[in-house]
Amino acid sequence: MTQLDLRKVAHFITVVEERTMTGAARRLQLSQQALSMSIRALERDLGVVLLHRDRRGVALLPAGRQLYADGVQLLAAATTAAERARQADRSTGALLRIGHTPSVTGVEVTEVLAAAGAAPDGVTIQVIQVPPTDLSDRLWDRSIDLGLRRSLAPASGLAGHVVARHRLRVAVRREHPLAQREVLTLRDIAAETLVVPAPGDSPDADLLLAICRDAGVEPRHRVDPVQGTPPVTAVLGNDDVALVTDAPGSAVGGAVRVVELEPATTLPLLATWRRDSRCPARDAVVQALAG
């Protein structure tokens, strides 16, 4: 008996609703390759072809029309079942799950929650680090209730609000010549190699490169081969630089130094969530932050 993967079904439904793989990938914050692989894997699981693909977009085949009709109800039923299970567990009370990308530090998450005030009565807050490429996906499949990421606007179909801005700084390894400086400018690092998260898949990387270009700097850059770790760790074992929001001074057990950046430049912190979902605890936190 075939076991349906609900995440793949959610991907398929998004493709149908967006009518193109490009639009669906943008909404899910996935690469088109990853989304195509997910759809093909779903077709292999079922042993049927669901979509006809061409340059104009996608068209539903008979099996796809049936899966879309049933899949919408299936995801709704799964969500209801999960919520009812949580409500039945009176010993734990309500649970608010907040996902954040690696570029948002644990201290920054704590500061945001403190700014929102105390958690609503009976609510437990669970904080989860999520890769940038998975954050929207986790919101759509309801495995998190609220996402925190570096972006100015939410992905298609999601709601969002910039709740904070954090000052940008430069991280280098302790032995790097720039580690002796008290203050740096973006032009000071123009000749250096900037380490960034995966461009295209990550608004975090796109924002950093845009900030450099706005300052008249077109940095050499490379993608950090270790994804999912804090940006401040990207300079370990190399002579590259990273743009981070960690406090100035020693970091990573003294192996890295974070240097102040002038003029002051900030990165936005976006809170994002599903428009079509109800979560009183999440809504209370968002309202407090927006106020």
Side-chain angles (χ1 to χ4, degrees):
M1 179 178 178
T2 301
Q3 297 293 321
L4 277 177
D5 184 327
L6 292 183
R7 182 166 294 188
K8 293 175 188 173
V9 173
H11 289 171
F12 168 73
I13 288 173
T14 304
V15 170
V16 175
E17 292 174 348
E18 292 291 328
R19 299 186 180 181
T20 66
M21 297 294 289
T22 302
R26 187 181 303 116
R27 173 170 150 182
L28 293 166
Q29 292 294 305
L30 291 173
S31 68
Q32 289 191 51
Q33 181 182 10
L35 181 57
S36 294
M37 290 175 61
S38 177
I39 298 301
R40 285 196 291 269
L42 178 60
E43 290 177 325
R44 285 196 301 271
D45 292 345
L46 296 174
V48 297
V49 179
L50 301 168
L51 300 168
H52 171 72
R53 306 165 179 82
D54 59 29
R55 293 181 179 179
R56 293 173 296 179
V58 297
L60 280 173
L61 297 175
R65 282 194 292 271
Q66 188 61 58
L67 181 62
Y68 178 75
D70 292 339
V72 170
Q73 297 181 41
L74 179 63
L75 290 182
T79 300
T80 299
E83 292 298 330
R84 291 179 67 177
R86 282 192 288 268
Q87 291 171 10
D89 184 7
R90 301 301 182 186
S91 64
T92 59
L95 179 65
L96 175 61
R97 299 153 302 173
I98 299 177
H100 69 97
T101 60
S103 64
V104 182
T105 69
V107 171
E108 289 163 348
V109 175
T110 302
E111 289 173 346
V112 165
L113 294 176
D121 290 343
V123 174
T124 298
I125 296 177
Q126 181 183 52
V127 178
I128 309 161
Q129 183 171 293
V130 179
T133 51
D134 292 351
L135 192 74
S136 294
D137 200 18
R138 297 286 295 272
L139 288 167
W140 283 109
D141 70 15
R142 291 184 170 90
S143 59
I144 60 174
D145 305 299
L146 182 67
L148 297 173
R149 75 174 314 146
R150 299 296 180 188
S151 185
L152 286 167
S156 175
L158 297 174
H161 181 75
V162 173
V163 297
R165 286 185 172 273
H166 296 112
R167 186 159 175 172
L168 201 59
R169 300 180 175 94
V170 180
V172 293
R173 71 184 182 96
R174 179 180 56 196
E175 297 83 5
H176 195 289
L178 294 179
Q180 306 307 314
R181 300 279 294 273
E182 293 299 323
V183 176
L184 291 167
T185 69
L186 287 174
R187 291 192 178 276
D188 289 330
I189 66 171
E192 308 293 330
T193 298
L194 178 66
V195 190
V196 298
D201 285 340
S202 169
D204 308 58
D206 297 337
L207 266 177
L208 294 176
L209 294 175
I211 286 171
C212 292
R213 289 164 183 153
D214 287 346
V217 175
E218 185 64 45
R220 294 195 309 267
H221 64 274
R222 69 174 180 86
V223 174
D224 187 355
V226 183
Q227 296 293 307
T229 54
V232 73
T233 66
V235 297
L236 291 173
N238 59 68
D239 286 322
D240 300 336
V241 302
L243 293 173
V244 303
T245 58
D246 298 71
S250 181
V252 196
V256 173
R257 185 158 186 271
V258 179
V259 183
E260 199 67 84
L261 183 66
E262 294 285 357
T265 303
T266 61
L267 278 181
L269 178 61
L270 181 80
T272 183
W273 62 94
R274 285 188 62 155
R275 297 179 185 275
D276 60 349
S277 65
R278 293 185 67 256
C279 179
R282 177 206 65 202
D283 295 342
V285 169
V286 169
Q287 184 175 4
L289 293 172

